[in-house]
Amino acid sequence: LEFRRVLFRSRGIPVGMHTPTEVKAAVTGSGRADKAQVTTMVTKLLRLDTRPTPADAADALALAMCHGWQAPMRAKLAAAL
C-alpha cells in the first residue's frame, strides 16, 4: 500500500486515505454500519434506481463520496497549519 501511495504521489496523482469507519460514518451517520446499510444509503444518496452490484461497487461509491465530502475540509486544514 505504501508503495502505491509513493508511486502515485511521485507522478503528481493525489492520494487520499480513509478508514472503513470514516466511510461508513460519512455515508450512513454511523461508523458501525454494515454493508447492507452502506449499500442502502449509497443507493438513496445517489438516487439510483437499483442497488449497486456487486457489493464492492457500493463500497467504492461510498469511498468516493466520503473523499469528495472530506477532501476540501482536509485541504483547508492543511493550509491553515
Side-chain angles (χ1 to χ4, degrees):
L1 187 60
E2 184 61 29
F3 170 74
R4 289 180 191 160
R5 204 176 333 173
V6 171
L7 179 65
F8 289 145
R9 286 191 176 147
S10 72
R11 289 183 164 82
I13 301 169
V15 176
M17 301 294 287
H18 302 283
T19 66
T21 302
E22 281 181 290
V23 175
K24 292 174 185 179
V27 175
T28 70
S30 170
R32 295 179 151 184
D34 61 25
K35 268 195 178 293
Q37 291 170 311
V38 171
T39 301
T40 297
M41 287 307 297
V42 165
T43 304
K44 287 181 180 184
L45 291 169
L46 296 178
R47 298 181 181 146
L48 302 174
D49 294 331
T50 59
R51 297 167 66 89
T53 56
D56 290 343
D59 292 345
L61 290 169
L63 180 58
M65 293 164 64
C66 175
H67 184 74
W69 293 331
Q70 290 186 3
M73 175 197 58
R74 288 182 181 201
K76 287 181 183 177
L77 181 60
L81 296 175

Coordinates of all heavy atoms in Angstrom, one line a residue:
L1 N 0.8 -1.2 0.0 CA 0.0 0.0 0.0 C 0.9 1.3 0.0 O 0.6 2.2 -0.8 CB -0.9 0.0 1.2 CG -2.0 1.1 1.3 CD1 -2.9 1.0 0.1 CD2 -2.8 0.9 2.5
E2 N 1.9 1.3 0.8 CA 2.8 2.4 0.9 C 3.5 2.7 -0.5 O 3.6 3.8 -0.9 CB 3.8 2.3 2.0 CG 4.7 3.5 2.2 CD 3.9 4.8 2.6 OE1 2.9 4.7 3.2 OE2 4.4 5.8 2.2
F3 N 3.9 1.6 -1.1 CA 4.5 1.7 -2.4 C 3.6 2.4 -3.4 O 4.0 3.2 -4.2 CB 4.9 0.3 -2.9 CG 5.3 0.3 -4.4 CD1 6.6 0.7 -4.7 CD2 4.5 -0.2 -5.4 CE1 7.0 0.7 -6.0 CE2 4.9 -0.2 -6.7 CZ 6.2 0.3 -7.0
R4 N 2.3 2.0 -3.4 CA 1.4 2.6 -4.4 C 1.2 4.1 -4.0 O 1.2 5.0 -5.0 CB 0.0 2.0 -4.3 CG 0.0 0.6 -4.8 CD -1.4 0.0 -4.7 NE -1.4 -1.4 -5.0 CZ -2.3 -2.3 -4.7 NH1 -3.3 -1.9 -4.0 NH2 -2.2 -3.5 -5.0
R5 N 1.1 4.5 -2.8 CA 1.0 5.9 -2.4 C 2.2 6.7 -2.9 O 2.0 7.7 -3.5 CB 0.9 6.0 -0.9 CG 0.2 7.2 -0.4 CD -0.1 7.3 1.0 NE -0.1 6.0 1.7 CZ -0.2 5.9 3.0 NH1 -0.2 7.0 3.8 NH2 -0.3 4.7 3.6
V6 N 3.4 6.2 -2.7 CA 4.6 6.8 -3.1 C 4.6 6.9 -4.7 O 5.0 8.0 -5.2 CB 5.9 6.1 -2.6 CG1 7.1 6.7 -3.2 CG2 5.9 6.2 -1.1
L7 N 4.3 5.9 -5.3 CA 4.2 5.8 -6.8 C 3.3 6.9 -7.3 O 3.6 7.7 -8.2 CB 3.9 4.4 -7.3 CG 3.8 4.3 -8.8 CD1 5.1 4.5 -9.4 CD2 3.2 2.9 -9.1
F8 N 2.1 6.9 -6.8 CA 1.1 7.9 -7.3 C 1.6 9.3 -7.0 O 1.5 10.2 -7.9 CB -0.3 7.7 -6.7 CG -1.0 6.4 -7.1 CD1 -1.8 5.7 -6.3 CD2 -0.9 6.0 -8.4 CE1 -2.4 4.6 -6.7 CE2 -1.5 4.9 -8.9 CZ -2.3 4.2 -8.0
R9 N 2.0 9.6 -5.8 CA 2.5 10.9 -5.5 C 3.7 11.3 -6.3 O 3.8 12.5 -6.7 CB 2.8 11.0 -4.0 CG 1.6 11.0 -3.1 CD 1.9 11.4 -1.7 NE 0.6 11.5 -1.0 CZ 0.5 11.1 0.3 NH1 1.5 10.7 1.0 NH2 -0.7 11.2 0.9
S10 N 4.6 10.4 -6.6 CA 5.7 10.8 -7.5 C 5.3 11.2 -8.9 O 6.0 11.9 -9.6 CB 6.7 9.6 -7.5 OG 6.2 8.5 -8.3
R11 N 4.1 10.8 -9.3 CA 3.6 11.1 -10.6 C 2.6 12.3 -10.5 O 1.8 12.6 -11.5 CB 3.0 9.9 -11.3 CG 4.0 8.9 -11.7 CD 3.4 7.7 -12.4 NE 4.4 6.9 -13.1 CZ 5.2 6.0 -12.6 NH1 5.1 5.8 -11.3 NH2 6.0 5.3 -13.3
G12 N 2.5 12.9 -9.3 CA 1.6 14.0 -9.2 C 0.1 13.7 -9.0 O -0.8 14.5 -9.2
I13 N -0.2 12.4 -8.7 CA -1.6 12.0 -8.6 C -1.9 12.0 -7.1 O -1.3 11.4 -6.2 CB -1.8 10.5 -9.1 CG1 -1.4 10.4 -10.5 CG2 -3.2 10.0 -8.8 CD1 -1.3 9.0 -11.1
P14 N -2.9 12.9 -6.7 CA -3.2 13.0 -5.3 C -3.8 11.7 -4.7 O -4.5 10.9 -5.4 CB -4.3 14.1 -5.2 CG -4.7 14.3 -6.6 CD -3.7 13.7 -7.6
V15 N -3.4 11.4 -3.5 CA -3.9 10.2 -2.8 C -4.6 10.5 -1.5 O -4.1 11.4 -0.8 CB -2.6 9.3 -2.5 CG1 -3.0 8.1 -1.7 CG2 -1.9 8.9 -3.7
G16 N -5.7 9.9 -1.3 CA -6.5 10.1 -0.1 C -6.6 8.8 0.7 O -6.8 7.7 0.0
M17 N -6.6 8.8 2.0 CA -6.8 7.6 2.8 C -7.9 7.8 3.7 O -8.0 8.9 4.4 CB -5.5 7.3 3.6 CG -4.3 7.1 2.7 SD -4.3 5.7 1.7 CE -4.1 4.4 2.9
H18 N -8.8 6.9 3.8 CA -10.0 6.9 4.7 C -10.2 5.5 5.3 O -10.1 4.5 4.6 CB -11.2 7.3 3.9 CG -11.1 8.6 3.2 ND1 -11.2 9.8 3.8 CD2 -10.9 8.9 1.9 CE1 -11.0 10.8 3.0 NE2 -10.8 10.3 1.8
T19 N -10.4 5.5 6.6 CA -10.7 4.3 7.3 C -12.1 3.8 6.9 O -13.0 4.6 6.6 CB -10.5 4.4 8.8 OG1 -11.6 5.3 9.3 CG2 -9.2 5.0 9.2
P20 N -12.4 2.5 7.1 CA -13.7 2.0 6.9 C -14.7 2.7 7.8 O -15.8 3.0 7.4 CB -13.6 0.5 7.2 CG -12.2 0.2 6.9 CD -11.4 1.4 7.3
T21 N -14.3 3.0 9.0 CA -15.2 3.7 10.0 C -15.6 5.1 9.5 O -16.7 5.5 9.5 CB -14.6 3.7 11.4 OG1 -14.3 2.4 11.8 CG2 -15.5 4.4 12.4
E22 N -14.6 5.8 8.9 CA -14.8 7.1 8.4 C -15.8 7.1 7.2 O -16.7 7.9 7.1 CB -13.5 7.7 7.8 CG -12.6 8.3 8.8 CD -11.4 8.9 8.0 OE1 -10.6 8.1 7.5 OE2 -11.3 10.1 8.0
V23 N -15.6 6.1 6.3 CA -16.5 6.0 5.2 C -17.9 5.7 5.6 O -18.9 6.3 5.1 CB -16.0 4.9 4.2 CG1 -16.9 4.7 3.0 CG2 -14.6 5.3 3.7
K24 N -18.1 4.7 6.5 CA -19.4 4.3 7.0 C -20.1 5.5 7.6 O -21.3 5.7 7.4 CB -19.3 3.1 7.9 CG -18.9 1.8 7.3 CD -18.6 0.8 8.4 CE -18.0 -0.5 7.8 NZ -17.8 -1.5 8.8
A25 N -19.4 6.2 8.5 CA -20.0 7.4 9.2 C -20.4 8.5 8.2 O -21.4 9.1 8.4 CB -19.0 7.9 10.2
A26 N -19.5 8.7 7.2 CA -19.8 9.7 6.2 C -21.1 9.4 5.4 O -21.9 10.3 5.2 CB -18.7 9.9 5.3
V27 N -21.3 8.2 5.1 CA -22.4 7.8 4.3 C -23.7 7.5 5.0 O -24.8 7.8 4.6 CB -22.0 6.6 3.3 CG1 -23.2 6.1 2.5 CG2 -20.9 7.0 2.4
T28 N -23.5 6.8 6.2 CA -24.7 6.4 7.0 C -25.0 7.2 8.2 O -26.1 7.1 8.8 CB -24.6 4.9 7.3 OG1 -23.6 4.8 8.3 CG2 -24.3 4.1 6.1
G29 N -23.9 7.9 8.7 CA -24.1 8.5 10.0 C -23.6 7.7 11.2 O -23.5 8.1 12.3
S30 N -23.2 6.4 10.9 CA -22.7 5.5 11.9 C -21.5 4.8 11.4 O -21.5 4.2 10.3 CB -23.8 4.5 12.3 OG -23.2 3.5 13.1
G31 N -20.4 4.9 12.2 CA -19.2 4.1 11.8 C -19.3 2.6 12.0 O -18.4 1.9 11.6
R32 N -20.5 2.2 12.6 CA -20.7 0.8 12.8 C -21.7 0.2 11.8 O -22.1 -1.0 11.9 CB -21.2 0.5 14.2 CG -20.2 0.9 15.3 CD -20.8 0.7 16.6 NE -19.8 0.4 17.6 CZ -20.0 0.1 18.8 NH1 -21.2 0.0 19.3 NH2 -19.0 -0.2 19.6
A33 N -22.0 0.9 10.7 CA -23.0 0.4 9.7 C -22.4 -0.9 9.1 O -21.2 -1.0 8.9 CB -23.2 1.5 8.7
D34 N -23.3 -1.7 8.7 CA -22.9 -2.9 7.9 C -23.0 -2.7 6.4 O -23.5 -1.6 6.0 CB -23.7 -4.2 8.4 CG -25.2 -4.0 8.1 OD1 -25.6 -3.2 7.2 OD2 -26.0 -4.7 8.8
K35 N -22.6 -3.7 5.7 CA -22.6 -3.5 4.2 C -24.0 -3.2 3.6 O -24.1 -2.3 2.7 CB -22.1 -4.8 3.5 CG -20.6 -4.8 3.3 CD -20.2 -5.9 2.3 CE -18.8 -5.9 2.0 NZ -18.3 -4.8 1.2
A36 N -25.0 -3.8 4.2 CA -26.4 -3.6 3.7 C -26.8 -2.1 3.9 O -27.4 -1.5 3.0 CB -27.3 -4.5 4.3
Q37 N -26.4 -1.6 5.1 CA -26.8 -0.2 5.4 C -26.0 0.8 4.5 O -26.6 1.8 4.0 CB -26.5 0.1 6.8 CG -27.4 -0.6 7.8 CD -26.9 -0.4 9.2 OE1 -25.7 -0.7 9.5 NE2 -27.8 0.0 10.1
V38 N -24.7 0.5 4.2 CA -23.9 1.4 3.4 C -24.5 1.3 1.9 O -24.7 2.4 1.3 CB -22.5 0.9 3.3 CG1 -21.7 1.7 2.3 CG2 -21.8 1.2 4.7
T39 N -24.9 0.1 1.5 CA -25.4 0.0 0.1 C -26.8 0.7 0.0 O -27.0 1.4 -1.0 CB -25.6 -1.5 -0.2 OG1 -24.3 -2.1 -0.2 CG2 -26.2 -1.7 -1.6
T40 N -27.6 0.6 1.0 CA -28.9 1.3 1.0 C -28.7 2.8 1.0 O -29.4 3.5 0.2 CB -29.7 0.9 2.3 OG1 -30.0 -0.5 2.2 CG2 -31.0 1.7 2.4
M41 N -27.8 3.3 1.8 CA -27.6 4.8 1.8 C -26.9 5.3 0.5 O -27.3 6.4 0.0 CB -26.8 5.2 3.0 CG -27.5 5.1 4.3 SD -29.1 6.0 4.3 CE -28.5 7.7 4.0
V42 N -26.0 4.5 -0.1 CA -25.4 4.9 -1.3 C -26.5 5.0 -2.4 O -26.6 5.9 -3.2 CB -24.3 3.9 -1.8 CG1 -23.9 4.1 -3.2 CG2 -23.1 4.1 -0.9
T43 N -27.4 4.0 -2.4 CA -28.5 3.9 -3.4 C -29.4 5.2 -3.2 O -29.8 5.8 -4.2 CB -29.3 2.7 -3.2 OG1 -28.4 1.5 -3.3 CG2 -30.4 2.5 -4.2
K44 N -29.7 5.5 -2.0 CA -30.6 6.7 -1.7 C -29.9 8.0 -2.0 O -30.5 8.9 -2.7 CB -31.1 6.7 -0.3 CG -32.1 5.6 0.0 CD -32.5 5.7 1.5 CE -33.6 4.6 1.7 NZ -34.1 4.6 3.1
L45 N -28.7 8.2 -1.5 CA -28.0 9.4 -1.7 C -27.7 9.7 -3.2 O -27.7 10.9 -3.6 CB -26.7 9.4 -0.9 CG -26.9 9.5 0.6 CD1 -25.5 9.2 1.3 CD2 -27.4 10.8 1.0
L46 N -27.4 8.7 -3.9 CA -27.1 8.9 -5.4 C -28.4 8.8 -6.2 O -28.3 8.9 -7.5 CB -26.0 7.9 -5.8 CG -24.7 8.1 -5.2 CD1 -23.7 7.0 -5.7 CD2 -24.1 9.5 -5.4
R47 N -29.5 8.6 -5.6 CA -30.8 8.4 -6.3 C -30.7 7.4 -7.4 O -31.2 7.6 -8.5 CB -31.3 9.8 -6.8 CG -31.5 10.8 -5.7 CD -32.0 12.1 -6.3 NE -32.1 13.0 -5.2 CZ -31.9 14.3 -5.3 NH1 -31.5 14.8 -6.4 NH2 -32.1 15.1 -4.2
L48 N -30.2 6.2 -7.1 CA -30.0 5.2 -8.1 C -31.3 4.4 -8.1 O -32.0 4.2 -7.1 CB -28.9 4.2 -7.7 CG -27.5 4.9 -7.6 CD1 -26.5 3.9 -7.1 CD2 -27.1 5.4 -8.9
D49 N -31.7 3.8 -9.3 CA -32.9 3.0 -9.4 C -32.7 1.6 -8.8 O -33.7 1.0 -8.3 CB -33.3 2.9 -10.9 CG -33.7 4.2 -11.5 OD1 -34.2 5.1 -10.7 OD2 -33.5 4.4 -12.7
T50 N -31.5 1.1 -8.8 CA -31.2 -0.2 -8.3 C -30.0 -0.1 -7.4 O -29.1 0.8 -7.6 CB -31.0 -1.3 -9.4 OG1 -29.9 -0.8 -10.2 CG2 -32.3 -1.4 -10.2
R51 N -29.8 -1.1 -6.5 CA -28.7 -1.2 -5.7 C -27.4 -1.5 -6.5 O -27.5 -2.3 -7.4 CB -28.9 -2.2 -4.6 CG -30.1 -1.9 -3.7 CD -30.5 -3.1 -2.8 NE -29.5 -3.5 -1.9 CZ -29.4 -3.0 -0.6 NH1 -30.2 -2.1 -0.2 NH2 -28.4 -3.4 0.2
P52 N -26.3 -0.9 -6.2 CA -25.1 -1.2 -7.0 C -24.7 -2.6 -6.7 O -24.7 -3.1 -5.6 CB -24.0 -0.3 -6.4 CG -24.8 0.8 -5.6 CD -26.1 0.2 -5.3
T53 N -24.3 -3.3 -7.7 CA -23.7 -4.7 -7.6 C -22.4 -4.8 -8.4 O -22.3 -4.1 -9.4 CB -24.7 -5.7 -8.1 OG1 -25.1 -5.4 -9.5 CG2 -26.0 -5.8 -7.3
P54 N -21.5 -5.6 -7.9 CA -21.5 -6.3 -6.7 C -21.4 -5.4 -5.5 O -21.3 -4.2 -5.7 CB -20.3 -7.2 -6.8 CG -19.4 -6.4 -7.7 CD -20.3 -5.7 -8.7
A55 N -21.4 -5.9 -4.3 CA -21.4 -5.1 -3.1 C -20.2 -4.2 -3.0 O -20.2 -3.1 -2.5 CB -21.4 -6.0 -1.8
D56 N -19.1 -4.7 -3.6 CA -17.8 -3.9 -3.6 C -18.0 -2.6 -4.4 O -17.4 -1.6 -4.2 CB -16.7 -4.7 -4.2 CG -16.2 -5.8 -3.3 OD1 -16.5 -5.7 -2.1 OD2 -15.5 -6.7 -3.8
A57 N -19.0 -2.6 -5.4 CA -19.3 -1.3 -6.1 C -19.9 -0.3 -5.2 O -19.5 0.9 -5.3 CB -20.2 -1.7 -7.3
A58 N -20.7 -0.7 -4.3 CA -21.3 0.2 -3.3 C -20.2 0.8 -2.4 O -20.2 1.9 -2.1 CB -22.4 -0.4 -2.5
D59 N -19.3 -0.1 -2.0 CA -18.2 0.3 -1.2 C -17.3 1.4 -1.9 O -16.9 2.4 -1.3 CB -17.3 -0.9 -0.8 CG -18.0 -1.8 0.2 OD1 -19.1 -1.5 0.7 OD2 -17.5 -3.0 0.3
A60 N -17.1 1.1 -3.1 CA -16.3 2.1 -3.9 C -17.0 3.4 -4.1 O -16.3 4.5 -3.9 CB -15.9 1.5 -5.3
L61 N -18.3 3.4 -4.3 CA -19.0 4.6 -4.4 C -19.0 5.4 -3.0 O -18.9 6.6 -3.0 CB -20.5 4.4 -4.9 CG -20.6 3.9 -6.3 CD1 -22.0 3.4 -6.6 CD2 -20.2 5.1 -7.2
A62 N -19.2 4.6 -2.0 CA -19.2 5.2 -0.6 C -17.9 5.9 -0.3 O -17.8 7.0 0.2 CB -19.5 4.2 0.4
L63 N -16.8 5.2 -0.7 CA -15.4 5.8 -0.5 C -15.3 7.1 -1.3 O -14.8 8.1 -0.8 CB -14.4 4.8 -0.9 CG -12.9 5.2 -0.8 CD1 -12.6 5.6 0.7 CD2 -12.0 4.0 -1.2
A64 N -15.7 7.1 -2.6 CA -15.6 8.3 -3.4 C -16.5 9.4 -2.8 O -16.0 10.6 -2.8 CB -16.1 8.0 -4.8
M65 N -17.6 9.1 -2.3 CA -18.5 10.1 -1.7 C -17.8 10.7 -0.4 O -17.8 11.9 -0.2 CB -19.9 9.5 -1.3 CG -20.7 9.2 -2.6 SD -22.1 8.1 -2.2 CE -23.1 9.1 -1.2
C66 N -17.3 9.8 0.4 CA -16.6 10.2 1.6 C -15.4 11.2 1.3 O -15.3 12.2 1.8 CB -16.1 9.0 2.4 SG -15.1 9.4 3.8
H67 N -14.6 10.8 0.3 CA -13.5 11.6 -0.1 C -13.9 12.9 -0.7 O -13.4 14.0 -0.3 CB -12.6 10.8 -1.1 CG -11.4 11.6 -1.5 ND1 -10.3 11.7 -0.7 CD2 -11.1 12.3 -2.6 CE1 -9.4 12.4 -1.2 NE2 -9.9 12.8 -2.4
G68 N -15.0 12.9 -1.5 CA -15.5 14.2 -2.1 C -16.0 15.1 -1.0 O -15.8 16.3 -1.1
W69 N -16.5 14.6 0.1 CA -17.0 15.5 1.1 C -15.9 15.9 2.1 O -16.0 17.0 2.6 CB -18.1 14.7 1.9 CG -19.4 14.5 1.2 CD1 -19.9 15.2 0.1 CD2 -20.3 13.4 1.4 NE1 -21.1 14.7 -0.3 CE2 -21.3 13.6 0.4 CE3 -20.3 12.3 2.2 CZ2 -22.4 12.7 0.3 CZ3 -21.4 11.4 2.1 CH2 -22.4 11.6 1.2
Q70 N -14.9 15.1 2.3 CA -13.9 15.4 3.3 C -12.7 16.1 2.7 O -12.0 16.8 3.4 CB -13.5 14.1 4.0 CG -14.5 13.6 5.0 CD -14.0 12.4 5.8 OE1 -12.8 12.1 5.7 NE2 -14.9 11.9 6.6
A71 N -12.4 15.9 1.5 CA -11.2 16.4 0.9 C -11.1 17.9 1.0 O -10.0 18.5 1.4 CB -11.0 16.0 -0.6
P72 N -12.1 18.7 0.7 CA -12.0 20.2 0.8 C -11.7 20.6 2.2 O -10.9 21.5 2.4 CB -13.4 20.7 0.4 CG -13.9 19.6 -0.5 CD -13.4 18.3 0.1
M73 N -12.3 19.9 3.2 CA -12.1 20.3 4.6 C -10.6 20.0 5.0 O -10.0 20.8 5.6 CB -13.0 19.5 5.5 CG -12.7 19.7 7.0 SD -13.5 18.5 8.1 CE -12.7 17.0 7.5
R74 N -10.1 18.8 4.6 CA -8.7 18.5 4.9 C -7.7 19.4 4.2 O -6.7 19.8 4.8 CB -8.4 17.0 4.4 CG -9.1 16.0 5.3 CD -8.8 14.6 4.9 NE -9.5 13.7 5.7 CZ -9.1 12.4 5.9 NH1 -8.1 12.0 5.3 NH2 -9.8 11.6 6.7
A75 N -8.0 19.9 3.0 CA -7.2 20.8 2.3 C -7.1 22.2 3.0 O -6.0 22.8 3.2 CB -7.6 21.0 0.9
K76 N -8.3 22.6 3.5 CA -8.3 23.9 4.2 C -7.5 23.8 5.6 O -6.8 24.7 6.0 CB -9.7 24.3 4.5 CG -10.4 24.8 3.3 CD -11.9 25.2 3.5 CE -12.5 25.7 2.3 NZ -13.9 26.0 2.5
L77 N -7.7 22.6 6.2 CA -7.0 22.4 7.5 C -5.5 22.4 7.3 O -4.7 23.0 8.0 CB -7.5 21.1 8.1 CG -6.8 20.7 9.5 CD1 -7.1 21.8 10.5 CD2 -7.4 19.4 9.9
A78 N -5.0 21.7 6.2 CA -3.6 21.6 5.9 C -3.1 23.0 5.6 O -1.9 23.4 6.0 CB -3.4 20.7 4.7
A79 N -3.8 23.8 4.9 CA -3.4 25.2 4.5 C -3.3 26.0 5.7 O -2.4 26.9 5.8 CB -4.3 25.8 3.5
A80 N -4.2 25.8 6.7 CA -4.2 26.6 7.9 C -3.0 26.3 8.8 O -2.5 27.1 9.5 CB -5.5 26.4 8.7
L81 N -2.5 25.0 8.7 CA -1.4 24.6 9.6 C -0.1 25.1 8.9 O 0.9 25.3 9.4 CB -1.4 23.1 9.8 CG -2.6 22.6 10.5 CD1 -2.6 21.1 10.6 CD2 -2.6 23.1 11.9

